[in-house]
Amino acid sequence: MKSEPKTSNDISFNDFKNQILKDYEIAVTSRECSLLGRREVLTGKAKFGIFGDGKELPQLAMARSFQDGDFRSGYYRDQTFMMALDLLKPKDFFHGLYATTNLAKEPMSAGRQMGGHFGTHSLNEDGSWKDLTAQKNSSADISCTAGQMPRLVGLAQASKIYRNLNIPNSEKFSQNGNEVAWGTIGNASTSEGLFFEALNAGGVLQIPMVISVWDDGYGISVPAKYQTTKEDISKIISGFQRDDKDDGYELLKVKGWDYTALIHAYENASDIAREEHVPVIIHVTELTQPQGHSTSGSHERYKSEEQLEWERENDCNKRFKEWILENGISTEEELSTLEKSIRREVRNAKKEAWDEFIKPLKQKKKSLVAVLDTLATNSPNRTFITKIKNDLIAIEEPSKKDLASMARKSLRYLLGEDTPEKLALSQWIDQFFKDMEPKYSSHLYNELPNRATAVQEVKPSYTSDPEMVDGRVILRDNFDKLFAKYQEALIFGEDSGVIGDVNQGLEGLQKKYGELRVSDTGIREATIIGQGIGLALRGLRPIAEIQYLDYILYGIQTLSDDLATMLYRTVGKQKAPLIVRTRGHRLEGIWHSGSPMGAMVHLLRGMYVLVPRDMTKAAGFYNTLMKSDEPALVIESLNGYRLKEAKPKNLGENCTPIGVVETVRKGTDITLVSYGSTLRIVVQVARELQEVGIDAEVIDAQSLLPFDLRHDTVKSVKKTNRLLVVDEDVPGGCSAYLLQEIVEKQGGYAYLDSAPQTLSAKAHRPAFSTDGDYFSKPNAEDIFEKVYSIMHESNPVDYPKLR
Ligand SMILES: Cc1ncc(C[n+]2csc(CCOP(=O)(O)OP(=O)(O)O)c2C)c(N)n1
Ligand SMILES: [Mg+2]
């Protein structure tokens, strides 16, 4: 059937009208979700709510300019944007509020994140990449204000890399680097250092990122007066504006209720960023908070009546509607019919989501009540069981916690009973946990066959007369092999480019692989990490270099909150296989000798933490990591770059296994566990101990997260019956972690004849120079005496008092 062609005027007016009405529909839908969402929290169905009301209009404009392949890195206000792109439906929104653990129903995080934290799926079920250029992408939000900014830098830089390098197999990630990375941030969060660091980095790198500042004049209760110099972020960053002479940013400022100005600003920003790769900032002012900051307080407490009145008048949805009516795009009647139908739809979506959420729990409740019922008829403690059963029946809408807790408490009344009914309850509990626990605890690490811990060891191989070279040469030649093999690999950091890092582990590689693949960065650890995260999210294989382990603290927030939680918080739907390379342990002084490995292993669960004792081991870790797809921190030994090592002939191929310890010296009297620089001293001491008749076994932990998956250490303890963990962290730091792993997790306590002990550095930072090191960190004599005292305590006759 052929229809009559319309005139171009008809089409454009209708299209224009439809587009605007569609935007209005989304704005009202989103608002209605916010209003009902708040009510769900206040009535107790949801625990907490933070919504996008008052920020609808600019998000519609941003969505209009957002194209396939683009990435968002934003924060909790962006529900309207997600709805406009059809990435979040009202029913999904409510499932998010209730924390539904089904990813099909709650696609943002399967209930792991509180509502308002958005993300899309980059990965298929089997872990393979989706075609990111064929979908609109949102990197997964984190709650930490400005925490999205470092990652934004990398997301944008990836476009630059893809445009300028011909990287094979990159079709799923980029089309000629045409993708824009869109950041959103609240006005108050621009007070964070991360914002300014990312801003500067983006300007230096000249990358396609568009940062929107949603400015509602407040950060919770604190007004702009206390947040921002001159109370105006675009005023103070005006020096970033590009001009004829200098590169910089394009700065735009627009009112958040002005629909046409917003559409124009976003189209403009998109073109500038996409075509020229110039970063843009859009400061969106005069936004409001119709319901206050979140469900945990009311803004009437801190806003004046004038302010509240101003916000009511300038509510962007209200002004949008007025504009539609003034311009004759629609009528009051048409809009009010639309609003009514939206209200109905959102109410229905809410009801459906709640029903879907609660129905399986009610079924579980039924099955538990049946189990308790049978128990209650037979148990001598039937009164107690009946009470629990009745309490459970009275809970109309039970949580999983209610069910698990009541089932487990019931067991206490069945002590000593051995009946099929009790068995049925135990089995019910076991099954419940088997079903539920993964919903909350899966995906801390990759669970698929390509996980890093499954990469097989490839030992370094040597010629009969291997060349002895400085450790740094081993690294350099290994990186050379890696960059040749993986064209998607790139490394960057302070002094990593021209001079090839401060220890020359990258010497000559920038010349060979170019400035984009081996590059210098500014001194900005947080965004070096963020750069890596963003690049990795877009299919590249970045190695971010932190010059010294001591300075990783500048990036630890991003590592801990963003990178380490990435796979977990997306339930395996996003990954950022970033390798962080750094150097640490003992050298000289307070800020070049740190070994805060306890802090690292505690803050970085979700990453691998690897402490190679030499550069051959380190090279092997890099090779292993490149074969898999998980984030890791590799700490090279600062004092090992100039030590001679035999040069393997299979550099680039040798793989150090992750989660495997190595017994570097066999012995029978005591097991000494250590790692990194300290390990060398422990090995030397073990030789000295032999002279007084003590035969120590030395184990190199080498992989702290995870530690010893095969439980080889306890096999050693079984043989020696004594255990000492030595490291140069603070007392109770990583040594305590290792002790817990060996004594508790591996069951080492059962084989000990002496108290298991740790020997660490002093609690203070290490003082300068040779003597500072000697008195601050465990030295050879300390280790000798500690081992000796353990042997003396167990056998004072053969090992008489030393001093
Ligand atoms: C690092 C950090 N500090 C504090 C908070 C608590 N917090 C959450 S939102 C918020 C205010 C943010 O205000 P703004 O950036 O203006 O965004 P808005 O909520 O106004 O849109 C604060 C202080 C946090 N989430 N993260
Ligand atoms: Mg604000």
Side-chain angles (χ1 to χ4, degrees):
M1 194 181 81
K2 212 171 157 204
S3 59
E4 281 300 302
K6 294 177 180 172
T7 69
S8 60
N9 274 350
D10 282 343
I11 292 168
S12 60
F13 180 74
N14 277 337
D15 279 357
F16 176 67
K17 179 178 166 173
N18 286 342
Q19 232 172 23
I20 289 165
L21 288 185
K22 181 76 197 151
D23 275 351
Y24 186 69
E25 185 185 331
I26 295 160
V28 175
T29 304
S30 176
R31 177 64 60 89
E32 200 54 29
C33 284
S34 302
L35 298 174
L36 278 194
R38 184 174 173 88
R39 237 186 288 164
E40 290 304 273
V41 177
L42 300 185
T43 57
K45 279 203 167 83
K47 295 288 274 208
F48 176 75
I50 189 149
F51 306 116
D53 48 309
K55 318 280 189 297
E56 289 89 347
L57 218 52
Q59 294 181 27
L60 292 166
M62 178 165 128
R64 281 262 195 106
S65 290
F66 197 94
Q67 296 184 10
D68 281 351
D70 286 2
F71 258 89
R72 163 189 169 276
S73 184
Y75 80 117
Y76 51 77
R77 294 286 178 218
D78 294 344
Q79 75 193 45
T80 313
F81 169 81
M82 296 298 286
M83 287 178 177
L85 296 182
D86 209 21
L87 298 171
L88 179 77
K89 297 185 176 54
K91 200 161 102 179
D92 307 339
F93 170 92
F94 287 103
H95 272 299
L97 263 186
Y98 305 141
T100 296
T101 52
N102 179 342
L103 198 61
K105 296 188 188 303
E106 204 288 87
M108 301 301 131
S109 74
R112 289 185 179 185
Q113 293 235 61
M114 53 172 62
H117 290 63
F118 308 111
T120 48
H121 298 185
S122 299
L123 302 170
N124 295 307
E125 230 17 66
D126 64 359
S128 59
W129 288 101
K130 288 176 183 281
D131 183 351
L132 304 187
T133 67
Q135 63 181 36
K136 301 193 165 65
N137 304 287
S138 179
S139 58
D141 293 355
I142 57 177
S143 295
C144 333
T145 49
Q148 68 276 27
M149 297 306 294
R151 169 189 346 126
L152 177 67
V153 175
L155 288 170
Q157 197 202 2
S159 291
K160 183 166 178 174
I161 301 285
Y162 283 122
R163 186 172 285 181
N164 290 288
L165 295 177
N166 193 8
I167 296 175
N169 305 318
S170 57
E171 304 78 27
K172 286 183 171 177
F173 305 112
S174 180
Q175 288 177 355
N176 192 35
N178 290 338
E179 304 76 23
V180 172
W182 302 80
T184 68
I185 184 166
N187 59 295
S189 301
T190 65
S191 313
E192 296 277 14
L194 291 182
F195 171 77
F196 287 98
E197 189 179 314
L199 196 64
N200 181 53
V204 168
L205 291 168
Q206 288 294 295
I207 46 180
M209 65 189 204
V210 178
I211 301 171
S212 294
V213 180
W214 305 148
D215 191 346
D216 57 15
Y218 284 84
I220 311 186
S221 66
V222 182
K225 183 179 167 201
Y226 299 109
Q227 300 282 0
T228 308
T229 311
K230 302 184 181 183
E231 302 187 34
D232 185 334
I233 189 67
S234 51
K235 214 184 240 178
I236 58 169
I237 60 174
S238 59
F240 282 88
Q241 172 68 50
R242 65 174 172 162
D243 56 32
D244 296 343
K245 266 199 0 256
D246 294 311
D247 288 341
Y249 276 79
E250 191 59 37
L251 303 185
L252 305 170
K253 192 171 188 174
V254 55
K255 292 189 177 14
W257 44 260
D258 188 341
Y259 183 71
T260 45
L262 284 164
I263 297 283
H264 185 68
Y266 275 86
E267 279 174 0
N268 195 7
S270 173
D271 289 347
I272 293 170
R274 208 177 296 283
E275 282 155 29
E276 301 173 49
H277 275 192
V278 165
V280 184
I281 297 175
I282 309 180
H283 181 194
V284 183
T285 61
E286 301 197 11
L287 290 168
T288 66
Q289 298 178 327
Q291 302 188 103
H293 174 76
S294 71
T295 53
S296 54
S298 89
H299 58 155
E300 286 80 8
R301 277 187 302 158
Y302 51 80
K303 284 180 187 162
S304 66
E305 188 41 51
E306 294 75 44
Q307 171 68 20
L308 290 166
E309 179 56 22
W310 183 89
E311 290 197 21
R312 278 191 290 273
E313 284 309 309
N314 290 286
D315 180 322
C316 60
N317 282 13
K318 178 173 174 283
R319 291 197 67 165
F320 185 28
K321 183 175 178 176
E322 286 163 4
W323 176 83
I324 292 172
L325 295 175
E326 274 162 24
N327 286 281
I329 296 160
S330 183
T331 60
E332 181 75 67
E333 222 182 337
E334 194 180 11
L335 293 186
S336 99
T337 312
L338 180 66
E339 286 162 16
K340 267 194 208 123
S341 101
I342 290 170
R343 256 176 234 131
R344 209 171 29 246
E345 267 173 45
V346 173
R347 260 201 317 274
N348 286 343
K350 183 200 77 165
K351 193 178 165 324
E352 272 179 40
W354 180 254
D355 288 346
E356 287 173 5
F357 171 77
I358 205 68
K359 213 166 143 195
L361 294 174
K362 284 187 169 172
Q363 279 163 354
K364 285 271 179 229
K365 169 181 151 180
K366 221 170 165 183
S367 73
L368 180 58
V369 168
V371 171
L372 293 177
D373 198 43
T374 336
L375 268 169
T377 41
N378 297 326
S379 170
N381 270 332
R382 66 179 62 91
T383 34
F384 298 104
I385 303 286
T386 305
K387 173 157 185 347
I388 292 182
K389 185 191 80 176
N390 289 339
D391 288 348
L392 179 57
I393 290 171
I395 304 176
E396 254 181 59
E397 293 176 336
S399 64
K400 288 175 198 152
K401 178 186 169 190
D402 291 330
L403 297 168
S405 165
M406 287 172 132
R408 294 167 83 185
K409 279 187 177 148
S410 304
L411 275 182
R412 298 176 197 172
Y413 297 104
L414 303 169
L415 285 170
E417 287 188 35
D418 183 16
T419 61
E421 291 81 6
K422 181 182 170 185
L423 183 66
L425 177 60
S426 291
Q427 285 173 342
W428 189 97
I429 295 168
D430 288 348
Q431 189 60 47
F432 193 65
F433 271 80
K434 203 169 150 214
D435 294 342
M436 298 308 158
E437 240 168 4
K439 295 183 190 299
Y440 298 97
S441 299
S442 72
H443 292 94
L444 182 58
Y445 291 90
N446 182 357
E447 294 165 356
L448 297 166
N450 65 340
R451 64 191 183 278
T453 47
V455 174
Q456 289 299 307
E457 176 173 16
V458 178
K459 288 202 159 61
S461 58
Y462 299 94
T463 58
S464 57
D465 184 20
E467 191 188 348
M468 297 301 289
V469 295
D470 284 354
R472 62 123 198 149
V473 172
I474 300 221
L475 282 173
R476 181 197 64 192
D477 292 357
N478 193 72
F479 280 127
D480 190 5
K481 296 266 191 220
L482 284 182
F483 293 135
K485 184 166 167 186
Y486 299 98
Q487 293 186 49
E488 65 277 26
L490 47 154
I491 191 162
F492 45 87
E494 296 152 19
D495 304 288
S496 305
V498 172
I499 65 164
D501 92 43
V502 284
N503 294 93
Q504 301 249 280
L506 299 167
E507 184 195 14
L509 298 186
Q510 187 184 66
K511 264 213 172 86
K512 189 161 176 186
Y513 295 102
E515 261 182 61
L516 283 173
R517 291 189 66 197
V518 181
S519 50
D520 284 318
T521 67
I523 305 175
R524 48 174 182 79
E525 286 77 10
T527 47
I528 288 173
I529 299 299
Q531 219 173 312
I533 296 173
L535 293 170
L537 280 170
R538 291 192 59 194
L540 292 160
R541 292 305 309 266
I543 304 173
E545 187 173 316
I546 297 295
Q547 197 159 69
Y548 296 97
L549 178 59
D550 305 76
Y551 308 128
I552 204 166
L553 298 189
Y554 280 67
I556 200 72
Q557 185 273 326
T558 305
L559 283 167
S560 182
D561 288 326
D562 198 357
L563 183 59
T565 68
M566 181 76 71
L567 198 73
Y568 174 79
R569 73 184 196 265
T570 64
V571 205
K573 290 299 169 197
Q574 287 183 15
K575 67 175 177 186
L578 166 64
I579 300 171
V580 180
R581 174 191 187 213
T582 189
R583 46 189 75 87
H585 312 314
R586 64 182 77 207
L587 193 70
E588 294 298 344
I590 295 181
W591 286 284
H592 296 84
S593 290
S595 188
M597 300 318 303
M600 295 302 120
V601 297
H602 294 315
L603 289 168
L604 302 180
R605 303 287 161 110
M607 287 179 68
Y608 295 123
V609 177
L610 308 170
V611 279
R613 66 176 181 273
D614 59 31
M615 302 311 162
T616 306
K617 285 274 174 186
F621 276 135
Y622 293 123
N623 298 340
T624 298
L625 290 165
M626 288 303 293
K627 276 194 181 172
S628 65
D629 68 343
E630 292 181 83
L633 170 65
V634 182
I635 296 125
E636 298 162 12
S637 289
L638 255 173
N639 58 11
Y641 294 110
R642 304 279 161 193
L643 295 181
K644 296 287 182 208
E645 293 182 30
K647 188 173 166 186
K649 58 179 186 187
N650 63 341
L651 283 179
E653 304 296 329
N654 59 313
C655 289
T656 312
I658 291 175
V660 178
V661 298
E662 185 180 339
T663 305
V664 293
R665 186 183 197 281
K666 290 231 170 274
T668 52
D669 293 333
I670 185 166
T671 301
L672 306 179
V673 178
S674 191
Y675 57 87
S677 300
T678 305
L679 187 95
R680 274 198 297 278
I681 305 175
V682 173
V683 171
Q684 172 208 326
V685 171
R687 278 188 228 116
E688 294 167 13
L689 285 164
Q690 193 76 62
E691 292 164 17
V692 292
I694 297 170
D695 186 20
E697 181 141 307
V698 181
I699 293 179
D700 181 3
Q702 66 184 346
S703 165
L704 299 178
L705 270 185
F707 171 71
D708 192 9
L709 294 171
R710 301 199 302 226
H711 289 198
D712 285 336
T713 313
V714 76
K715 291 172 202 151
S716 169
V717 175
K718 237 183 221 182
K719 188 173 66 174
T720 64
N721 312 116
R722 288 183 189 84
L723 172 65
L724 174 67
V725 181
V726 190
D727 78 357
E728 49 177 300
D729 193 4
V730 292
C734 193
S735 58
Y737 158 79
L738 290 171
L739 204 64
Q740 189 238 0
E741 286 275 321
I742 301 161
V743 172
E744 191 180 309
K745 203 159 153 189
Q746 302 193 4
Y749 72 96
Y751 309 104
L752 288 167
D753 290 342
S754 300
Q757 300 209 37
T758 62
L759 177 63
S760 61
K762 297 278 169 53
H764 56 75
R765 302 284 181 102
F768 183 54
S769 199
T770 305
D771 293 342
D773 175 75
Y774 190 84
F775 286 97
S776 304
K777 299 248 179 173
N779 56 53
E781 287 69 46
D782 292 335
I783 300 167
F784 186 99
E785 288 175 12
K786 184 77 175 179
V787 174
Y788 193 87
S789 74
I790 294 172
M791 299 307 291
H792 163 74
E793 192 203 53
S794 74
N795 183 354
V797 177
D798 287 347
Y799 306 105
K801 211 167 163 23
L802 186 68
R803 75 169 157 117

